[in-house]
Amino acid sequence: MLKRQSVTPETPFSPSNEFRRQSPKQRRLQSWWLRLFLILLSGVLGWQIWKLAVTGHQLNPWHFNQLGHETVHWSWRGPTCPLEYKRHQWADIQAGRKRPYLFGGQQEPECINCDVDALWSHFCQFKSHGPVCAEWEQKKVMKQLVERATAGSPGMQEMLTLTPCDLWPWLRGRTLWLVGDSMMQQMSKAAICFMYEFWDLQIKPLDNTTRAAGLYQDSLGEFCIEMPEDSRICHLRVNTVANLTQRVLPNFSKFTGKISDLMVVNVGIWYSRPAHYEKDMAEFAEYYAAHKYNLPYVVWRDNAAQHFATPTGEFGLRLAMPFVCKPLNVTLHSDNTLTPQQNCDAAAAEDIMQGGFRNRIANPLVSSLGIPIVQTWNLSVPMWEYYHHVAEKGDCTHSCHPSGYQVWLYQLHATITSVAGDLRRHALTKNSKLVF
């Protein structure tokens, strides 16, 4: 009769021998732990796949070539930030102990470009060299925003504690195109200033590129900044829909544009006649519907309020300089809604609460195309004291920095965050004429 071979110290080690040495109770316990491990592993993998496919989480940007050298590839939603920013506590900002990064606060725990004696270093800390708000204006706008945040206005605390590393995932490996008129140009300055520790403080003109595309216009100031990991912020000057649909968008690939890029667009302030604007916006809708998948992901920024001495604050052709900037006769509440003030013109107040004629025309049309809208109108209504030359009564359209443009940038961040999945799915569009 054959005897069962016993496992002795002289028996060569093997996992099967080790398993047979265990008691039935030990085997059951080990099997239970193995099953638990596999369940947890499956859960983690499933969560990562869900984030990638649905919410638009990151694609790993780090790949290795055959020689083993690290190369950077496009990453559209990566959390890794190349710089360190300590997030300010809301209590410190509320008490005035810390200055928000979005409004000129220096990078903490340490900064580099903040100590550089250069134009953009000074301007981006809102000290000099540009349309910088006076010190008293900067204090006033901060007081106004802190009061709104304290009252619970949506997004205000998040805006005042925002860091450049929060915006970085939307910039990493792509170009953020800010396309529009002088208002968008100022928003572009707000964007590159928020990220001013990420670049070399050298503006890269697009003159040669715009000439090659037949788009060059004297003194309109197309420019880019270059950041790590093939990331850029670029401004393209566009004043009208015709500029956009006949010149810029058809030639977009010549600007080294990619399907994975993000384009923020606005045209409107150059239009003074509703019928003209309505006709041109219909042309934009027709072009976009036909070419959507040969364009980067498009976001529309609505038209911000103006504060001229007219019933709705909009510029009037019969106005004569010097212009007088005045508050609008509506009130912005803590929930970011508007209501008319007493003894105001009812028709004008209704027009303001609808966002003025430009937004009344553009927003429904843009929404019908599935384009997200960065909402700035309501939040710009109370900011009537921060124009370039308000003391000299010279401008009631273009604000000084920091003020409304920084609020718009936060609104852009919030808007992109809300459509992260759509952004990724668009970047994976097949058969596009644009490169990945």
Side-chain angles (χ1 to χ4, degrees), residues 5-60:
Q5 182 181 2
S6 61
V7 180
T8 66
E10 289 76 22
T11 304
F13 173 82
S14 71
S16 59
N17 287 338
E18 190 68 18
F19 185 74
R20 284 196 297 270
R21 183 183 302 180
Q22 297 174 347
S23 67
K25 183 177 180 180
Q26 289 175 317
R27 294 176 192 173
R28 288 193 300 272
L29 184 62
Q30 187 179 42
S31 178
W32 186 88
W33 279 109
L34 178 61
R35 288 195 295 270
L36 179 61
F37 172 76
L38 292 175
I39 291 171
L40 292 174
L41 180 62
S42 299
V44 171
L45 290 175
W47 169 244
Q48 294 296 325
I49 292 172
W50 181 84
K51 285 194 293 185
L52 181 64
V54 179
T55 66
H57 207 64
Q58 72 165 343
L59 296 174
N60 183 9

Side-chain angles (χ1 to χ4, degrees), residues 288-305:
Y288 179 82
H291 300 90
K292 174 180 178 180
Y293 295 110
N294 289 318
L295 297 173
Y297 190 81
V298 174
V299 175
W300 182 265
R301 179 186 62 76
D302 72 357
N303 293 278

Side-chain angles (χ1 to χ4, degrees), residues 236-352:
L236 282 174
R237 180 65 180 261
V238 168
N239 292 333
T240 66
V241 171
N243 292 156
L244 184 65
T245 59
Q246 298 174 22
R247 303 175 68 196
V248 170
L249 297 184
N251 294 288
F252 183 70
S253 61
K254 297 180 182 179
F255 296 101
T256 65
K258 300 180 292 186
I259 190 69
S260 53
D261 286 350
L262 176 62
M263 178 181 284
V264 184
V265 179
N266 171 269
V267 287
I269 208 69
W270 279 58
Y271 291 86
S272 59
R273 299 198 308 272
H276 186 193
Y277 190 51
E278 187 170 13
K279 174 180 175 294
D280 278 16
M281 285 303 300
E283 292 179 4
F284 167 76
E286 182 179 357
Y287 184 92
Y288 179 82
H291 300 90
K292 174 180 178 180
Y293 295 110
N294 289 318
L295 297 173
Y297 190 81
V298 174
V299 175
W300 182 265
R301 179 186 62 76
D302 72 357
N303 293 278
Q306 298 170 282
H307 294 86
F308 290 96
T310 60
T312 60
E314 294 165 340
F315 177 74
L317 295 178
R318 296 182 179 180
L319 288 175
M321 292 186 68
F323 300 129
V324 177
C325 306
K326 291 186 175 181
L328 302 179
N329 292 322
V330 295
T331 299
L332 177 67
H333 297 281
S334 60
D335 62 354
N336 293 340
T337 60
L338 299 172
T339 58
Q341 297 175 356
Q342 293 182 349
N343 302 321
C344 69
D345 182 280
E350 182 65 24
D351 188 75
I352 295 169

Side-chain angles (χ1 to χ4, degrees), residues 7 46 99 144 188 264 267 284 303 326 367 374 390 395 431:
V7 180
R99 184 174 186 175
Q144 184 177 355
S188 302
V264 184
V267 287
F284 167 76
N303 293 278
K326 291 186 175 181
S367 294
V374 181
V390 67
D395 187 353
N431 302 320

Side-chain angles (χ1 to χ4, degrees), residues 36-308:
L36 179 61
F37 172 76
L38 292 175
I39 291 171
L40 292 174
L41 180 62
S42 299
V44 171
L45 290 175
W47 169 244
Q48 294 296 325
I49 292 172
W50 181 84
K51 285 194 293 185
L52 181 64
V54 179
T55 66
H57 207 64
Q58 72 165 343
L59 296 174
N60 183 9
W62 302 107
H63 299 275
F64 294 85
N65 61 26
Q66 293 180 349
L67 298 177
H69 297 153
E70 195 173 54
T71 56
V72 180
H73 290 261
W74 170 75
S75 171
W76 74 280
R77 182 65 173 98
T80 304
C81 189
L83 299 178
E84 179 184 1
Y85 275 84
K86 179 183 177 182
R87 190 179 303 280
H88 296 323
Q89 297 298 312
W90 161 239
D92 289 333
I93 291 175
Q94 188 179 31
R97 292 188 293 268
K98 295 292 184 180
R99 184 174 186 175
Y101 294 123
L102 191 55
F103 289 82
Q106 292 185 352
Q107 178 191 4
E108 293 185 16
E110 60 181 353
C111 60
I112 296 176
N113 283 348
C114 64
D115 292 327
V116 176
D117 185 13
L119 182 154
W120 285 103
S121 177
H122 295 304
F123 174 70
C124 290
Q125 295 177 78
F126 309 121
K127 297 177 179 178
S128 61
H129 293 78
V132 174
C133 296
E135 185 177 353
W136 69 267
E137 291 175 311
Q138 295 190 40
K139 290 179 179 179
K140 188 167 185 175
V141 75
M142 281 306 308
K143 180 176 182 292
Q144 184 177 355
L145 294 174
V146 166
E147 287 176 350
R148 289 190 55 75
T150 303
S153 294
M156 287 293 105
Q157 285 192 26
E158 291 81 0
M159 178 185 71
L160 295 175
T161 57
L162 193 72
T163 79
C165 287
D166 295 323
L167 190 61
W168 177 248
W170 311 122
L171 305 176
R172 186 181 186 181
R174 60 155 53 89
T175 299
L176 170 64
W177 298 93
L178 295 157
V179 182
D181 52 34
S182 56
M183 303 290 277
M184 191 67 81
Q185 189 177 51
Q186 295 302 321
M187 185 178 177
S188 302
K189 293 178 181 178
I192 66 176
C193 280
F194 188 43
M195 309 300 295
Y196 83 105
E197 289 287 351
F198 286 71
W199 51 290
D200 60 3
L201 303 181
Q202 297 295 316
I203 293 289
K204 308 299 190 295
L206 283 175
D207 288 357
N208 292 335
T209 305
T210 52
R211 285 194 185 98
L215 301 175
Y216 183 72
Q217 299 179 39
D218 290 334
S219 75
L220 291 188
E222 297 91 347
F223 61 83
C224 289
I225 63 161
E226 296 175 352
M227 300 180 292
E229 301 185 39
D230 193 28
S231 311
R232 299 189 301 172
I233 298 175
C234 294
H235 168 64
L236 282 174
R237 180 65 180 261
V238 168
N239 292 333
T240 66
V241 171
N243 292 156
L244 184 65
T245 59
Q246 298 174 22
R247 303 175 68 196
V248 170
L249 297 184
N251 294 288
F252 183 70
S253 61
K254 297 180 182 179
F255 296 101
T256 65
K258 300 180 292 186
I259 190 69
S260 53
D261 286 350
L262 176 62
M263 178 181 284
V264 184
V265 179
N266 171 269
V267 287
I269 208 69
W270 279 58
Y271 291 86
S272 59
R273 299 198 308 272
H276 186 193
Y277 190 51
E278 187 170 13
K279 174 180 175 294
D280 278 16
M281 285 303 300
E283 292 179 4
F284 167 76
E286 182 179 357
Y287 184 92
Y288 179 82
H291 300 90
K292 174 180 178 180
Y293 295 110
N294 289 318
L295 297 173
Y297 190 81
V298 174
V299 175
W300 182 265
R301 179 186 62 76
D302 72 357
N303 293 278
Q306 298 170 282
H307 294 86
F308 290 96

